[in-house]
Amino acid sequence: MAGVGPSGLQGAGPIRALFFAYFAFIGIYSPYLSLWFDSRGLSIAQIAVLMSLPQLLRIVAPPFWGWLSDRGSHRVVFLRLSAAGSLLIVLLFPLAQGPVALAVLLVMMCFMTAGQMPIGEALALERTRGDAGQYGRIRLWGSIGFVCTVLAGGPLLDHFGMMSLPWLMAASLALLVAVSFALPEQTSARARRSIHSFRSISKGSVTAVPRSVRSGGLA
């Protein structure tokens, strides 16, 4: 498949920003949330249970949002609603008392944020017309966002204290909400064709190894 060329990324700025903002949130939330739970007086066993919940949700939440994205014609609307819902939930974190309340809020937050990448990836694949190289250049901004907030999070929490973590998470989610409103609405049919094309490329690259092994070696 021919690449889309440099023009394929024209207008991709909001999608790059989406990846940056989402993974910036992951970078401030994932490494430090267990420390915030500890500062709230939870036991190690309670923290272990709470930190397992996002992993369990990965089994059902991303497929649900991906299914919704493929069948709906308003993917960006879903993106905006999930980002705004996540922000509102995080603002309730400082008010939660006890592990049960925190578990409920954490499950709700993770379910809402799980919608960002299935929909965001559909938008990126549509923008790049399924070109894996161009998609990778957009996806790179997620890594940049993650590294930025992981590195900045430690000094910020040292300065403002661990209790400021929900507010830092809220700030990153506010950026995500703002970015989601900069995204143009796109049709789901074109996205499905792009995803099919991308999966075909991926399948071809995976099946190439077994073929070469069966033929007697790796070329």
Side-chain angles (χ1 to χ4, degrees):
M1 176 180 175
V4 296
S7 62
L9 291 184
Q10 288 180 359
I15 303 177
R16 292 192 192 100
L18 174 70
F19 278 83
F20 179 92
Y22 172 75
F23 284 100
F25 163 71
I26 297 298
I28 197 65
Y29 137 75
S30 182
Y32 301 112
L33 187 61
S34 59
L35 298 176
W36 183 76
F37 287 147
D38 180 67
S39 71
R40 293 291 302 269
L42 273 62
S43 69
I44 294 176
Q46 290 170 334
I47 294 172
V49 171
L50 288 172
M51 296 306 294
S52 71
L53 296 177
Q55 308 308 316
L56 291 174
L57 276 175
R58 287 184 180 181
I59 300 172
V60 295
F64 167 79
W65 286 105
W67 172 85
L68 193 64
S69 170
D70 284 345
R71 284 154 181 79
S73 59
H74 303 288
R75 296 191 311 275
V76 173
V77 173
F78 296 145
L79 203 65
R80 293 165 182 166
L81 289 175
S82 64
S86 302
L87 173 58
L88 293 175
I89 293 165
V90 165
L91 292 174
L92 297 176
F93 269 50
L95 304 178
Q97 299 296 323
V100 174
L102 287 169
V104 171
L105 291 176
L106 183 61
V107 166
M108 292 170 62
M109 182 197 76
C110 291
F111 182 81
M112 297 300 282
T113 55
Q116 295 295 310
M117 278 302 97
I119 300 174
E121 287 172 348
L123 295 174
L125 288 169
E126 179 176 356
R127 171 60 60 181
T128 61
R129 300 171 191 158
D131 184 276
Q134 300 287 6
Y135 168 80
R137 292 183 180 90
I138 291 178
R139 186 65 170 73
L140 173 65
W141 285 90
S143 299
I144 295 172
F146 181 84
V147 170
C148 286
T149 50
V150 167
L151 294 178
L156 286 172
L157 292 169
D158 278 340
H159 181 76
F160 293 107
M162 187 54 64
M163 290 301 174
S164 65
L165 179 64
W167 307 113
L168 296 177
M169 292 167 57
S172 62
L173 286 171
L175 175 62
L176 187 62
V177 171
V179 166
S180 71
F181 278 91
L183 289 166
E185 183 62 70
Q186 295 170 298
T187 59
S188 59
R190 287 180 58 197
R192 285 196 292 271
R193 289 196 295 270
S194 297
I195 293 170
H196 176 74
S197 175
F198 181 76
R199 286 174 177 169
S200 298
I201 295 171
S202 300
K203 184 178 179 181
S205 65
V206 170
T207 56
V209 174
R211 289 195 196 101
S212 63
V213 171
R214 286 196 298 270
S215 66
L218 295 173

